[in-house]
Amino acid sequence: MNTTYETNPLIERLPKHLKQFIKPQDYDEYTPINQAVWRYVMRKNVDYLGKVAHSSYLDGLRQTGIDIESIPNMYGMNRILKEIGWAAVAVDGFIPPNAFMEFQAYNVLVIASDIRQLEHIEYTPAPDIIHEGAGHAPIIANPEYAEYLRRFGEIGCKAISSAHDYEMYEAIRLLSILKEAEDTPQAEIEAAEKHVDELQNNLGELSEMAQIRNLHWWTVEYGLIGTVDNPKIYGAGLLSSIGESAWCMTDNVKKLPYDISAANQSFDITKPQPQLYVTPDFAHLNSVLEEFANKMALRTGGLSGIQKLIKSKALGTIELSTGIQISGVFTNVIEHEGKPVYVQTTGKTALSYREKELVGHGTSYHAEGFGSPIGKLKGINLAIEDMSPRDLRAYDIYEGEQVTLEFEGDITVSGEIITGSRNLRGEIILISFKNCTVKHKDTVLFQPEWGTYDMAVGKKVISAFSGPADVNSFDMISHVPSSKTIKQKKSPEREELETLYKNVRNIREGKHAEITLKEAFAAVSANHPNDWLLSVEIAELAEKEHNSDLTDKVLNHLEKVKMSRPEVAHLIANGLDLIFDKTTA
């Protein structure tokens, strides 16, 4: 068993909290039927997408080492991706949106290494290697698009989520797993669908993460490029779906010019999309991303940024104007005239500067939380951070002095100054007090018995974002998904069918086969009358060998399968079109 993954310098530099999602790609687990599914989809896609996909697609297939005949091996992909500045890792199905985007920020492509069942060959709601490997990987060979993907990840992983977002992630993950698994009771699927519908119908105000996930969906996953009247495909969801890549080109799907309004257009992952967005070029994607980023708390900070973090109930960071960063779970903010004047975290908190934890101010020291005033002193136009040494002395902000600092918004800090810390520009970013009392009007926020009081210095909050400033400050090795992907069941009948697929594959590749093509067809038609893909493969080889007698028998059998299984008739026809179009061309 292969229990390792091909390394790459980009994978080596991933932080530990991202590495926890990586799983080995056990290539031996792919069955002959899995390989046949990959080959069918890829042959059909390349044939069709050559006409409707962005020109980068076919070039990218060659550049990223995606083979039409076989499921890609992560070892080979990483060797080739390294040449274009990217890497790939295998994961188990959907991972949390912040983590998915953070991988992109490190130029690492996340690939769900499972593959869809034959029954879901056209489309699966679960991420799989066809979607990731054949959809995402080829387009990143385009440098302009690859930079958009990296930049999107860099900004997206800072988007603030809501508690609702995580519930939605778990619900969609479970639904995708149940729909892709064999023999899931319909009642279970319906219950999961109902839960997703309830969550989607009660979105409320969209969080930053919900909005940026919408942008991701309408570009990276389901994007079109060119003009509304003559678009080409570049989104991975379309590039990997033989059904939807054709459907999206019809008038049944509304085409809209791509702009920032797409951030408010939600989607249903389990159904074909009723509308798609068309970008004129890849550069336009970046301009819309920047327009959205300018509205994020990452760049606007302020009271609303803190409020978003409080609502998220998750680990986040605020940065003050001096550059000091406070990371923790924010639980309270006191406001005055629309501005934050005091902020509070609960539980483990860390202080950083420029994404590096300040010495002595990690989570073990600030284990119970952290609170600090923000803003200017009352009646003084000069903020503490802007004071010269002479100003600081004049206002008794000096080591060893007993001082009472009155901030705007009725926050007072009274105590003896122990010391102060400065940033690289010489501004004071932190002042430590002993025997300190902090109040908001008559409410005590900190009292002397609690020990040293550390006060962050900053006249305003310039940024607020998801996650810690320094990824090493917190133990984030904690991801335990509520659901795991379900492997295909094994049975004597399934094993026999797999053996037949393996023999036919060996015949095509000129390897030793235990039975002839004629014997393989006799066995599949007699014992597995519902299977259609192997008969299509046998027809391909019989035609190649000019065995007209066997070809006719297989085609007659496939006509019967079409009659008994009308839902796969178009798949059979599509497979045969590839064979006979090529042979008569």
Side-chain angles (χ1 to χ4, degrees):
M1 293 231 338
N2 170 22
T3 56
T4 60
Y5 53 86
E6 169 69 6
T7 192
N8 175 311
L10 293 171
I11 298 174
E12 291 299 313
R13 71 187 183 98
L14 287 172
K16 289 179 183 178
H17 72 276
L18 290 183
K19 287 182 178 178
Q20 71 181 312
F21 295 101
I22 301 173
K23 72 165 202 173
Q25 180 198 31
D26 192 340
Y27 199 85
D28 293 340
E29 284 191 359
Y30 296 123
T31 70
I33 293 178
N34 293 156
Q35 295 285 3
V37 165
W38 170 272
R39 184 173 183 270
Y40 177 93
V41 173
M42 290 305 297
R43 290 178 77 236
K44 190 65 190 170
N45 272 5
V46 170
D47 179 70
Y48 174 66
L49 293 173
K51 308 179 190 85
V52 298
H54 186 263
S55 57
S56 298
Y57 176 73
L58 293 180
D59 290 340
L61 280 177
R62 289 186 286 271
Q63 280 186 259
T64 51
I66 306 293
D67 182 24
I68 292 171
E69 296 293 321
S70 301
I71 295 170
N73 189 307
M74 303 292 283
Y75 281 77
M77 278 190 72
N78 263 312
R79 281 195 295 272
I80 296 166
L81 284 171
K82 188 161 34 176
E83 295 175 14
I84 59 172
W86 280 72
V89 295
V91 298
D92 180 37
F94 282 115
I95 64 172
N98 287 81
F100 181 86
M101 293 187 193
E102 195 174 357
F103 271 108
Q104 284 182 198
Y106 282 92
N107 283 31
V108 175
L109 197 62
V110 173
I111 294 182
S113 57
D114 289 325
I115 187 166
R116 65 194 65 177
Q117 295 178 63
L118 175 54
E119 289 71 21
H120 301 149
I121 196 166
E122 281 192 287
Y123 172 79
T124 173
D128 76 336
I129 197 162
I130 292 178
H131 171 81
E132 315 282 10
H136 285 293
I139 297 295
I140 64 167
N142 179 297
E144 192 171 22
Y145 178 75
E147 173 55 21
Y148 168 70
L149 204 61
R150 185 202 67 77
R151 184 71 175 146
F152 197 106
E154 192 172 56
I155 292 170
C157 71
K158 301 292 188 183
I160 300 171
S161 300
S162 67
H164 183 279
D165 292 332
Y166 198 77
E167 192 178 357
M168 176 67 84
Y169 153 71
E170 291 282 12
I172 288 176
R173 177 182 164 88
L174 176 61
L175 176 59
S176 70
I177 289 170
L178 292 177
K179 278 197 158 189
E180 177 57 25
E182 293 180 80
D183 305 326
T184 302
Q186 188 59 29
E188 278 190 47
I189 292 176
E190 288 173 2
E193 284 178 330
K194 183 182 178 185
H195 186 42
V196 169
D197 285 342
E198 287 171 352
L199 290 172
Q200 286 181 326
N201 292 331
N202 294 283
L203 290 174
E205 185 181 352
L206 295 181
S207 69
E208 288 182 352
M209 178 52 75
Q211 289 181 307
I212 206 163
R213 278 188 69 222
N214 287 342
L215 292 182
H216 194 272
W217 182 264
W218 299 121
T219 61
V220 175
E221 296 293 353
Y222 278 80
L224 299 175
I225 187 168
T227 65
V228 169
D229 296 325
N230 184 30
K232 298 290 185 183
I233 295 171
Y234 74 91
L238 297 173
L239 292 174
S240 60
S241 171
I242 55 178
E244 209 159 356
S245 60
W247 169 256
C248 78
M249 286 295 162
T250 68
D251 291 336
N252 295 306
V253 178
K254 189 176 181 181
K255 316 298 191 302
L256 303 168
Y258 178 63
D259 59 30
I260 198 167
S261 67
N264 293 312
Q265 178 61 58
S266 297
F267 56 89
D268 185 342
I269 197 167
T270 65
K271 297 182 178 73
Q273 307 309 312
Q275 80 281 306
L276 295 174
Y277 291 85
V278 186
T279 183
D281 47 46
F282 289 139
H284 181 65
L285 297 180
N286 276 307
S287 67
V288 172
L289 176 61
E290 288 300 315
E291 186 181 353
F292 180 78
N294 285 336
K295 299 173 183 290
M296 289 173 61
L298 175 68
R299 294 185 181 173
T300 61
L303 177 63
S304 64
I306 302 171
Q307 290 171 332
K308 286 179 182 179
L309 285 177
I310 292 171
K311 189 177 178 183
S312 77
K313 300 178 182 178
L315 175 61
T317 298
I318 64 167
E319 181 174 336
L320 305 187
S321 45
T322 54
I324 191 170
Q325 297 162 315
I326 305 165
S327 300
V329 177
F330 289 83
T331 51
N332 189 35
V333 62
I334 299 171
E335 61 179 288
H336 174 69
E337 297 181 350
K339 295 178 182 179
V341 293
Y342 193 88
V343 68
Q344 179 72 51
T345 66
T346 299
K348 292 182 176 180
T349 304
L351 306 183
S352 302
Y353 179 73
R354 291 190 173 179
E355 288 72 51
K356 294 293 182 187
E357 185 182 292
L358 295 177
V359 176
H361 290 281
T363 58
S364 58
Y365 179 69
H366 296 291
E368 303 300 320
F370 180 85
S372 179
I374 298 166
K376 294 181 179 179
L377 296 173
K378 189 182 291 185
I380 302 173
N381 286 329
L382 202 59
I384 292 175
E385 65 205 70
D386 298 326
M387 290 182 179
S388 67
R390 182 177 292 177
D391 295 324
L392 292 169
R393 194 73 188 90
Y395 291 108
D396 290 332
I397 303 173
Y398 209 77
E399 290 177 12
E401 293 286 353
Q402 184 74 32
V403 68
T404 295
L405 302 175
E406 294 185 43
F407 287 85
E408 293 176 347
D410 297 313
I411 305 290
T412 58
V413 178
S414 299
E416 183 182 332
I417 296 177
I418 303 170
T419 187
S421 301
R422 296 178 183 270
N423 64 18
L424 294 173
R425 296 192 299 270
E427 299 164 335
I428 293 180
I429 61 173
L430 191 70
I431 299 174
S432 298
F433 298 80
K434 64 181 179 181
N435 301 321
C436 187
T437 301
V438 182
K439 288 183 177 182
H440 173 235
K441 298 180 180 176
D442 294 327
T443 303
V444 176
L445 303 173
F446 190 92
Q447 49 197 36
E449 305 88 80
W450 296 352
T452 301
Y453 178 69
D454 298 291
M455 184 184 82
V457 176
K459 57 189 170 188
K460 61 182 178 178
V461 176
I462 63 169
S463 181
F465 53 88
S466 175
D470 185 336
V471 295
N472 298 310
S473 292
F474 293 81
D475 177 13
M476 297 190 291
I477 314 298
S478 59
H479 178 69
V480 181
S482 61
S483 49
K484 291 191 176 181
T485 51
I486 301 169
K487 301 297 182 184
Q488 293 173 346
K489 296 176 181 177
K490 292 184 179 180
S491 66
E493 181 185 17
R494 177 79 178 207
E495 291 298 314
E496 182 192 12
L497 186 59
E498 293 281 10
T499 301
L500 292 173
Y501 269 87
K502 182 174 176 56
N503 275 285
V504 169
R505 186 175 182 85
N506 284 346
I507 291 169
R508 187 189 319 111
E509 294 176 352
K511 297 176 182 176
H512 171 70
E514 296 170 352
I515 56 175
T516 64
L517 208 56
K518 184 178 178 181
E519 289 169 334
F521 174 65
V524 74
S525 56
N527 302 333
H528 308 277
N530 284 329
D531 186 83
W532 61 271
L533 181 52
L534 186 58
S535 295
V536 169
E537 293 208 333
I538 292 171
E540 178 191 352
L541 293 175
E543 181 67 13
K544 190 176 180 181
E545 294 173 0
H546 306 293
N547 187 338
S548 56
D549 181 53
L550 180 57
T551 301
D552 290 342
K553 286 180 179 177
V554 176
L555 294 179
N556 286 334
H557 169 69
L558 285 170
E559 284 303 315
K560 292 176 186 174
V561 177
K562 282 184 185 180
M563 296 292 289
S564 64
R565 297 190 65 197
E567 72 275 11
V568 299
H570 66 292
L571 296 172
I572 294 170
N574 287 344
L576 295 177
D577 284 347
L578 278 177
I579 298 165
F580 295 102
D581 279 354
K582 282 185 167 43
T583 56
T584 56

